[in-house]
Amino acid sequence: VSTQSTGEKKKKKDKKDKKKETPSKCLLKNTMLHGGDIDNKSKVKSIKKCLKFCKKTENCVGVSFVPSEKLCLLKNQDATIDTNCEAAKAGSQSQFLKCKKKDEE
């Protein structure tokens, strides 16, 4: 028998839904990963889908996503962070599969 009220259950569900919508602390906005290209995929709708593609690809350690072109670029360990290129200035996003959150640094 559950001791939680309907209101408490709704609060927990709302909190869980917000967590899904919150972008990762590891997301690098206005950033491209330069070099280390191993594959790419077009018509990708989000960086989340891009990361799923990366997880299924051998040697992929991170991605760059160009929202305006719906382009996902898969990167290996040779990629370096670039915030000055045109794609970065145009709003590209990058993320590594394994990243350190700020409290882990």
Side-chain angles (χ1 to χ4, degrees):
V1 177
S2 176
T3 58
Q4 289 182 327
S5 69
T6 305
E8 288 173 327
K9 286 180 183 176
K10 186 176 180 344
K11 282 181 185 177
K12 279 189 176 181
K13 185 180 183 311
D14 289 346
K15 195 172 185 179
K16 200 174 194 180
D17 289 344
K18 279 186 182 178
K19 202 172 192 179
K20 286 181 186 175
E21 294 171 12
T22 305
S24 168
K25 291 179 183 175
C26 299
L27 177 66
L28 303 169
K29 294 181 180 180
N30 301 317
T31 303
M32 283 292 287
L33 297 179
H34 182 70
D37 293 335
I38 55 175
D39 201 353
N40 67 69
K41 187 169 182 161
S42 59
K43 299 181 183 176
V44 177
K45 293 183 180 183
S46 70
I47 193 162
K48 271 187 172 181
K49 295 200 186 264
C50 191
L51 286 164
K52 284 183 182 180
F53 185 43
C54 181
K55 287 176 186 175
K56 295 176 184 177
T57 305
E58 188 176 353
N59 297 321
C60 186
V61 299
V63 300
S64 284
F65 175 64
V66 185
S68 60
E69 297 178 29
K70 295 185 179 176
L71 180 64
C72 172
L73 304 165
L74 305 184
K75 304 292 184 165
N76 65 22
Q77 73 277 358
D78 296 328
T80 58
I81 295 171
D82 185 349
T83 56
N84 285 323
C85 67
E86 290 304 312
K89 291 175 183 176
S92 293
Q93 305 167 343
S94 296
Q95 187 168 337
F96 291 99
L97 289 180
K98 293 181 181 179
C99 61
K100 290 184 178 180
K101 297 201 172 40
K102 290 187 181 199
D103 56 332
E104 295 176 346
E105 291 177 349

